[in-house]
Amino acid sequence: MTVTYSESIMRAVVEIAERDDCSLLEACVEYCEENDLEPEELVEWLEPVAKSQLRQSALDTNKVRKSVEIPAIPLVFE
């Protein structure tokens, strides 16, 4: 089974979260620091599912306002 770059990043982030007993979002920031990356760079390499997991982690830990959340189904105006 082939592992994508996004999956390998998320595995490392999950390991950091478990090691440091922190949220995925905080682990993502730590991953960036350990690998000398800017968070914006990292997000470009992540697949939509990984971005969704990080977004949910930020919401769960109150790191962002709920109004920042992207609606699952966009509103359609006629």
Side-chain angles (χ1 to χ4, degrees):
M1 179 177 196
T2 306
V3 177
T4 66
Y5 189 58
S6 178
E7 289 171 330
S8 65
I9 290 171
M10 285 308 292
R11 283 184 183 173
V13 168
V14 169
E15 287 175 8
I16 292 169
E18 291 172 353
R19 178 191 76 198
D20 296 350
D21 192 30
C22 63
S23 71
L24 284 180
L25 183 66
E26 292 166 324
C28 188
V29 171
E30 181 62 27
Y31 178 88
C32 288
E33 289 176 6
E34 290 177 4
N35 292 281
D36 196 29
L37 294 170
E38 291 295 324
E40 295 81 12
E41 274 182 288
L42 181 67
V43 170
E44 290 177 14
W45 296 328
L46 295 177
E47 295 172 351
V49 172
K51 291 178 187 178
S52 177
Q53 289 174 328
L54 292 173
R55 184 178 295 116
Q56 189 59 51
S57 175
L59 291 169
D60 292 345
T61 58
N62 294 318
K63 300 293 182 187
V64 295
R65 293 185 314 265
K66 297 243 186 252
S67 63
V68 175
E69 180 179 13
I70 299 171
I73 302 172
L75 298 174
V76 178
F77 297 100
E78 297 182 73

